[in-house]
Structures are given as structure tokens and as C-alpha cells.
Amino acid sequence: MELHQLRYLVAVADSGSFTAAAASLHVSQSGVSAQVAKLEHEVGHRLLERGGRTVRLTDAGTQILPHARAALDAVSTIGSVSDELSGVVRGNLRLGTVIGCTIPGYLAGFADFRRAHPGVHVSVIEDNSDRLIADLESGRLDVALVAHAERLPRAVSAQTLVREPLAAVVPADHPWASKTSVTCAELAATTVLSLPVGTGVRSALSSTCAVERVDVVPAVAAHSPESILSLVELGSGVGLLTPSMASGHRTLAAVPVARSTRSMLSLTIGPAPSAAARAMAAALAAHLLPTR
């Protein structure tokens, strides 16, 4: 049994196919298939069900996969500890961000990290915050920028960057533009445009409406706040975002949602972070954390 065989097994399990695993590992598909077959021979069990375009874990594979991950993580940790003892930061880093991240300071912090630690290979994963948080907790990500309304898991360390209530975004000449606030009941009676399930805004909306015992289901869910703001300008409905997302749009008004749960943006780091993860978190924090 060799480490690269475990690495190939994990890659196939994560990607769902030998083709995708080979592409992510930059090796041939036949090489991945051959090495996984050798691993199956070594352990004496079939680990993957091969059929059609997708691959599924067998019962044996399901039981062995966590141990394969743990073995690879242990080897990675040994390398990280050795590098730290030598004062060197290198290796692989998995950074997660909300989809279409344009947060001021994020790119500046990322650039600072790359200049300071060119030996670290960084993979950037964009996804909904719910999945980013789950991947951070499980160790599939090292550092992440996530939006949320609920308390984060205990295993995840976080620094909150922004904490905002929800706002109904309407054209400046809309009847709501002069209101001091709008309720969930009013939102439920109109066409709402918002971010998808799994984002901080939608989590805050669900929490706020649960307290009010009102169900608000957005008619349109888009990943980009800019897309929602453009649709609002075109008269397609009321945007449900945060005030900062609508800032700079002079033709629009952001009206607070009454008794709103706060949507938070946090810089998070997973359990047992490597030196590279700590360095990335520090570089991002230097640009993202509000100055006192």
C-alpha cells in the first residue's frame, strides 16, 4: 500500500469519476484506475463500484475512505511541522470564498500572502456558505470567507468582519422608499429577489421570518447581488440584501427589515490549522478586519 494509491482513492471518491480525479491530479486516467485496482488487491476488498460515467463507494470503500483521508492528513501534518521547525511555509492550501467574492481587501490580502509565501500552492473554491462551513469543519478547506446568520460550529475559529441587518432594496421612487422599515408580512405580499439558500442573507431571512411566523419565498434567487440590484432597477421586484450591498446605487433605496436577524461575514479557519493556513488567515485579516 502506497500513499499515492490512497490519494487516488480519495480523489475518485470526491470527484465521482476516474476522469475527473485524473484531471485534478494531473495524471492519466489509466494510471489512476490501475493504482486504485492495486489498492483494492492490497486490502482484499472492492472499494469502488464502477458503472456508467459515475463511480460510487462500496460498503468497504465507505469504511476505509475516512482512514485514507486521515493517513494523508497525518503525512501532510508531518510535513507542515517539519517546515515550521525550519521556519518555512509551504505545501497546499484550500481557500474557500462566497461565490463571486469582491469584498474589499480580499484580493489585497491574497496578493500579500502570495508574495510572502510563493512556495504554497493555493486552491480557491467558491461555493454557498453552508457548504463552505461544512467543508471547513470536515477539513476539506483550511480557510474560508463565509456569510452566515447562525452560530458557527465549535471546531471553526472565526473573526467577524461585517454584521448587518437585512434591507428591502427598492427604486428611489417606490412607495416603500420613504418608509422607516418593512415587515416580513409586507415582503410576503410582494415579489422578492434575493440570494440562494445557503447564503448568509437567506439564513437571516429564514430566521427573521420564523420569529414573525411569516413565510417569505423569493421569486428569484441569484448568486450576484449586482444582478439582483439591476433587476430591481428594471422594476422586477424588491431586492432582499444587506445595506452595504446596495451602497453606491443612487437610484435605489435600502429600507431596513423590521426586527431583522443580522447577516454576518466572517473570516474562518478550520481545526488544527497548518502554518500556511494561519499565514493566509493573518494576511486576509490584515486587510479585512475593521480598524479600531
Side-chain angles (χ1 to χ4, degrees):
M1 189 182 303
E2 299 180 9
L3 284 174
H4 70 274
Q5 294 172 342
L6 300 179
R7 191 170 293 111
Y8 289 3
L9 171 66
V10 170
V12 174
D14 287 346
S15 64
S17 76
F18 284 96
T19 301
S24 68
L25 295 165
H26 305 291
V27 296
S28 68
Q29 179 179 335
S30 59
V32 173
S33 181
Q35 290 303 319
V36 171
K38 286 183 179 181
L39 177 62
E40 290 176 319
H41 178 74
E42 288 287 341
V43 300
H45 294 280
R46 196 170 186 82
L47 304 177
L48 298 169
E49 290 287 356
R50 300 154 174 84
R53 298 191 176 203
T54 59
V55 177
R56 295 185 300 104
L57 288 166
T58 63
D59 289 342
T62 299
Q63 294 185 54
I64 286 174
L65 183 64
H67 300 291
R69 290 193 196 280
L72 294 173
D73 288 344
V75 171
S76 177
T77 300
I78 291 171
S80 296
V81 171
S82 177
D83 287 342
E84 287 187 57
L85 292 171
S86 303
V88 176
V89 177
R90 61 187 174 195
N92 297 309
L93 176 72
R94 297 153 298 186
L95 172 64
T97 73
V98 291
I99 296 172
C101 183
T102 57
I103 302 164
Y106 161 64
L107 293 179
F110 187 95
D112 279 357
F113 175 86
R114 292 294 303 138
R115 281 190 292 269
H117 308 292
V120 178
H121 177 266
V122 182
S123 299
V124 179
I125 296 90
E126 294 187 349
D127 209 334
N128 283 345
S129 290
D130 281 3
R131 287 192 287 268
L132 293 176
I133 293 167
D135 286 347
L136 196 70
E137 187 179 20
S138 69
R140 292 176 186 246
L141 289 176
D142 301 301
V143 180
L145 280 170
V146 301
H148 60 104
E150 306 299 329
R151 188 187 300 273
L152 293 170
R154 289 186 177 182
V156 174
S157 300
Q159 295 173 294
T160 299
L161 310 174
V162 179
R163 183 182 281 106
E164 289 187 285
L166 298 176
V169 183
V170 295
D173 59 355
H174 190 280
W176 286 6
S178 59
K179 291 172 68 71
T180 57
S181 67
V182 297
T183 65
C184 288
E186 288 175 302
L187 289 171
T190 191
T191 301
V192 172
L193 321 173
S194 191
L195 301 179
V197 171
T199 60
V201 165
R202 283 295 290 273
S203 180
L205 176 63
S206 296
S207 177
T208 302
C209 292
V211 172
E212 299 295 314
R213 297 184 179 180
V214 175
D215 192 19
V216 176
V217 180
V220 173
H223 282 292
S224 168
E226 288 298 324
S227 296
I228 293 170
L229 294 172
S230 295
L231 289 171
V232 171
E233 289 177 323
L234 293 169
S236 296
V238 173
L240 200 288
L241 299 168
T242 62
S244 66
M245 293 176 180
S247 64
H249 288 259
R250 297 182 180 178
T251 62
L252 301 176
V255 185
V257 173
R259 298 173 290 278
S260 169
T261 298
R262 265 49 177 175
S263 174
M264 292 170 280
L265 178 70
S266 296
L267 172 61
T268 58
I269 189 168
S274 65
R278 292 197 298 272
M280 174 62 85
L284 294 176
H287 288 272
L288 290 168
L289 286 176
T291 55
R292 301 292 182 187

